[in-house]
Amino acid sequence: MSANASPTGQMPTETTAPVKNDAVRDSAFLRACRREPVPHTPVWFMRQAGRSLPEYRKVREGIGMLDSCMRPELVTEITLQPVRRHRVDAAIYFSDIVVPLKAIGIDLDIKPGIGPVVEQPVRTRADLARLRDLTPEDVSYVTEAIGMLTRELGPTPLIGFAGAPFTLASYLVEGGPSRTYENAKAMMYGDPQLWADLLDRLADITAAFLRVQIEAGASAVQLFDSWAGALAPADYRRSVLPASAKVFDAVAGYGVPRIHFGVGTGELLKLMGEAGADVVGVDWRVPMDEAARRVGPGKALQGNLDPTVLFAGREAVETKAGEVLEAAAGLEGHIFNLGHGVMPSTAPDALTRLVEYVHTRTAR
């Protein structure tokens, strides 16, 4: 599927977005997203902005996570840190998937060591009224930060992102992180119309959040469906895919690559591509060549080194990274990434060396 085609095969209305400079448009990352020849396999890491970097911990000291996401100067600095240090091929905007929910007035906070906690979970139809539309004014700090970033990044593309409707719904219904998703699944199975309406509302909010990022200058967007791996394929197709497809369709007219990623989604890879992604993210559980077979033709793939390999020493890292590259050698387009986010205790030098290894090994 081209970047301008909707999941239904219809052409969306063209949408105006800032014109990227030629160097960004011709970057290895965007070329790989478009399945075009590249000078080397591009590399970036999920959660590269922050977490493992000492300079990140220094600038975040004493500042809460959500507060950090609302300070344009701080967001700009944190987003740039891994680009400076690791020489990755793309920056990922520093934020959190619950930022748009906070912006529309949902009472939530990110608790250290726990994650997002929602004060009043969404459990009834009356609760839907709390999920109002997101406007650009609600997240003006995002527009400001991305403007600053695109000026600083020069030829390096910036990836915007958002949480997918299912994952956001799970946080809202559960009230926080969950291992079993019993409340979310109970709504999905027991009141399918309420569930569908909730995801549809979240699809509108998510699409609006992505539009703000694209119109401010993001060169690609990634939809994180972190919890989708908890679903059987039939449930995903019936109860989740329509909302994710709505998000992707809403931003199709901008012509920027759309990436779709989830954890434990080996059985869902084809469906995640069908939702409208141009690039499908793969975690470490499925080899890249097998992932390509499951997804089918016409998509680039992203992934998929196990993040824990980075603790095993340089030789082991290069051996395992080499296996990923070998499995991806025949793909139409490949972006090297981890199979999930950078772990907080990862040695920064391990990431720097991994970028250099992938660039050197794949130089055309």
Side-chain angles (χ1 to χ4, degrees):
M1 182 181 296
S2 74
N4 290 322
S6 75
T8 59
Q10 297 176 336
M11 296 301 289
T13 302
E14 285 300 315
T15 313
T16 301
V19 177
K20 310 295 187 302
N21 65 54
D22 289 341
V24 171
R25 189 181 299 108
D26 200 44
S27 64
F29 169 74
L30 289 180
R31 290 182 67 85
C33 289
R34 298 191 300 262
R35 295 176 287 120
E36 297 173 357
V38 291
H40 59 262
T41 298
V43 187
W44 73 278
F45 304 115
M46 289 178 282
R47 294 180 181 162
Q48 68 185 17
R51 304 203 77 178
S52 69
L53 299 183
E55 55 265 41
Y56 165 75
R57 291 190 288 271
K58 182 177 180 180
V59 299
R60 271 280 321 275
E61 191 172 358
I63 305 173
M65 178 62 186
L66 284 173
D67 191 14
S68 299
C69 297
M70 299 174 190
R71 300 187 182 189
E73 294 84 2
L74 185 58
V75 168
T76 299
E77 169 59 22
I78 292 171
T79 302
L80 291 171
Q81 285 175 351
V83 179
R84 298 190 197 111
R85 182 188 272 262
H86 304 314
R87 304 299 180 189
V88 286
D89 293 281
I92 176 76
Y93 182 73
F94 176 74
S95 187
D96 189 273
I97 64 170
V98 299
V99 163
L101 299 180
K102 184 72 171 181
I104 62 170
I106 298 298
D107 188 359
L108 61 82
D109 196 10
I110 299 177
K111 305 287 188 182
I114 299 175
V117 176
V118 180
E119 184 66 25
Q120 293 181 291
V122 173
R123 301 278 173 82
T124 69
R125 181 159 296 279
D127 291 330
L128 291 183
R130 292 191 277 135
L131 300 175
R132 67 168 176 82
D133 291 340
L134 178 82
T135 69
E137 291 72 30
D138 292 322
V139 288
S140 58
Y141 46 85
V142 172
T143 299
E144 184 179 349
I146 290 180
M148 296 168 66
L149 275 165
T150 52
R151 289 190 292 271
E152 292 286 337
L153 283 167
T156 303
L158 176 66
I159 305 168
F161 79 91
F166 171 75
T167 293
L168 293 180
S170 297
Y171 276 117
L172 285 171
V173 176
E174 297 293 338
S178 173
R179 292 182 181 276
T180 57
Y181 320 103
E182 65 263 31
N183 293 299
K185 287 188 173 184
M187 182 188 293
M188 183 176 73
Y189 296 133
D191 194 341
Q193 190 57 59
L194 175 59
W195 175 260
D197 291 346
L198 171 59
L199 261 67
D200 190 67
R201 185 78 57 86
L202 289 170
D204 289 337
I205 293 166
T206 298
F209 191 52
L210 290 179
R211 282 196 293 266
V212 167
Q213 295 175 69
I214 295 168
E215 290 180 5
S219 298
V221 290
Q222 176 158 309
L223 194 65
F224 282 88
D225 213 349
S226 307
W227 291 4
L231 297 169
D235 291 332
Y236 179 90
R237 178 182 290 280
R238 177 178 56 252
S239 303
V240 175
L241 190 151
S244 293
K246 185 177 185 180
V247 174
F248 283 124
D249 200 39
V251 299
Y254 292 102
V256 303
R258 299 158 296 171
I259 310 169
H260 204 179
F261 174 77
V263 184
T265 52
E267 299 301 319
L268 305 178
L269 289 173
K270 182 174 180 60
L271 294 170
M272 292 180 74
E274 289 178 7
D278 305 295
V279 183
V280 177
V282 184
D283 77 6
W284 67 93
R285 296 171 177 86
V286 181
M288 296 302 289
D289 49 357
E290 171 60 16
R293 187 191 69 78
R294 295 184 187 186
V295 171
K299 309 285 183 184
L301 296 187
Q302 178 176 281
N304 71 337
L305 183 70
D306 186 334
T308 63
V309 171
L310 290 162
F311 297 95
R314 182 169 186 167
E315 183 176 349
V317 170
E318 293 184 357
T319 296
K320 298 301 289 184
E323 291 174 3
V324 171
L325 293 171
E326 288 173 11
L331 302 187
E332 297 179 66
H334 177 223
I335 299 148
F336 189 96
N337 207 313
L338 303 180
H340 197 198
V342 174
M343 300 176 74
S345 53
T346 304
D349 287 350
L351 292 166
T352 305
R353 290 193 298 266
L354 177 56
V355 174
E356 183 181 7
Y357 170 78
V358 173
H359 283 173
T360 301
R361 174 162 175 156
T362 63
R364 273 55 161 181

